[in-house]
């Protein structure tokens, strides 16, 4: 991976434990870090954002090499991992902190995100209108250390075994068949 060529993208698609785990498995992804964006409080804590009062979403900030994995491929993964037709929720995770959101850094990235939404919506995979929010990127706050790699450390935790684990297995099957996973996955 060319460290001089890396780019970042930040988005939320429900609970960050699954999103972060899956993106870290992809070839071309240097890191996927769980955190918070889109709110009005500096240095928010998990407990604060869970109230919905800070305006933050649970997000993952992905650092990637666009020579190895493209922006469009990252968007395909993003729309695979969550249901973008659910407003302020993913399954039983309910609240604005679980919203579907893409944070863009400039007009070009906003246009690319709009195009990705339209293309994915046209596939009718999710059978409805997408409610994915597009918002300008302002700040990213890394989540507490215990959230980083949470699934890898806690695969038997009830939420992980019931929700995260099955999603990761589905992800590995699909993207493994496409040859997009790191060799160790």
């Amino acid at each position: 991976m060319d460290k001089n060529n890396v780019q970042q993208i930040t988005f939320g698609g429900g609970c960050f434990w699954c999103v972060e785990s899956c993106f870290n498995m992809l070839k071309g992804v240097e890191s996927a870090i769980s955190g918070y964006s889109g709110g009005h409080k500096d240095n928010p804590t998990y407990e604060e954002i869970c109230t919905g009062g800070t305006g933050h979403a649970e997000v993952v900030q992905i650092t990637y090499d666009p020579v190895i994995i493209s922006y469009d491929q990252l968007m395909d993964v993003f729309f695979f991992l969550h249901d973008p037709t659910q407003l302020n929720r993913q399954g039983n995770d309910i609240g604005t902190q679980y919203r579907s959101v893409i944070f863009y850094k400039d007009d070009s990235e906003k246009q690319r995100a709009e195009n990705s939404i339209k293309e994915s919506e046209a596939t009718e995979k999710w059978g409805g209108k997408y409610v994915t929010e597009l918002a300008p990127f302002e700040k990213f706050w890394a989540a507490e250390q215990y959230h980083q790699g949470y699934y890898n450390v806690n695969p038997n935790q009830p939420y992980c075994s019931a929700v995260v684990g099955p999603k990761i297995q589905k992800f590995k099957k699909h993207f493994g068949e496409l040859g997009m996973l790191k060799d160790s996955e």
Side-chain angles (χ1 to χ4, degrees):
M1 186 171 305
D2 182 356
K3 302 286 185 192
N4 296 319
N5 193 41
V6 295
Q7 296 181 14
Q8 287 186 324
I9 185 168
T10 304
F11 40 56
C15 176
F16 49 34
W17 293 342
C18 176
V19 178
E20 174 254 341
S21 293
C22 291
F23 275 100
N24 271 320
M25 293 180 200
L26 293 170
K27 289 178 185 175
V29 171
E30 179 181 293
S31 66
I33 300 171
S34 294
Y36 317 113
S37 283
H40 53 77
K41 182 182 186 309
D42 288 348
N43 296 305
T45 66
Y46 181 69
E47 289 74 21
E48 291 170 330
I49 72 107
C50 282
T51 67
T54 68
H56 291 87
E58 284 193 15
V59 299
V60 175
Q61 186 168 76
I62 298 156
T63 302
Y64 68 100
D65 184 340
V67 172
I68 300 171
I69 188 166
S70 71
Y71 179 89
D72 291 337
Q73 288 173 309
L74 292 170
M75 286 302 199
D76 288 345
V77 172
F78 173 66
F79 289 120
F80 181 88
L81 289 176
H82 79 293
D83 181 348
T85 67
Q86 293 187 337
L87 182 63
N88 298 328
R89 72 178 296 163
Q90 284 299 301
N92 290 328
D93 294 328
I94 300 170
T96 57
Q97 67 271 27
Y98 299 114
R99 67 189 179 271
S100 176
V101 57
I102 301 168
F103 292 96
Y104 60 87
K105 292 191 173 93
D106 56 34
D107 288 339
S108 172
E109 201 170 86
K110 180 182 180 185
Q111 183 62 51
R112 291 173 76 189
E114 288 172 344
N115 291 342
S116 292
I117 290 169
K118 287 177 190 170
E119 289 171 14
S120 183
E121 192 174 47
T123 68
E124 298 183 0
K125 174 188 177 199
W126 293 105
K129 176 136 180 69
Y130 283 22
V131 295
T132 301
E133 174 188 343
L134 288 176
F137 177 82
E138 293 177 8
K139 290 184 180 176
F140 170 80
W141 306 99
E144 295 80 354
Q145 188 57 42
Y146 73 90
H147 286 297
Q148 310 305 328
Y150 189 86
Y151 176 78
N152 294 337
V153 176
N154 301 285
N156 297 320
Q157 187 261 10
Y159 182 88
C160 288
S161 61
V163 178
V164 182
K167 189 177 278 196
I168 288 174
Q169 292 309 312
K170 182 179 170 186
F171 165 83
K172 286 171 108 174
K173 182 177 184 327
H174 180 79
F175 290 98
E177 289 172 359
L178 295 175
M180 292 177 63
L181 301 182
K182 293 175 182 169
D183 291 336
S184 62
E185 303 306 328

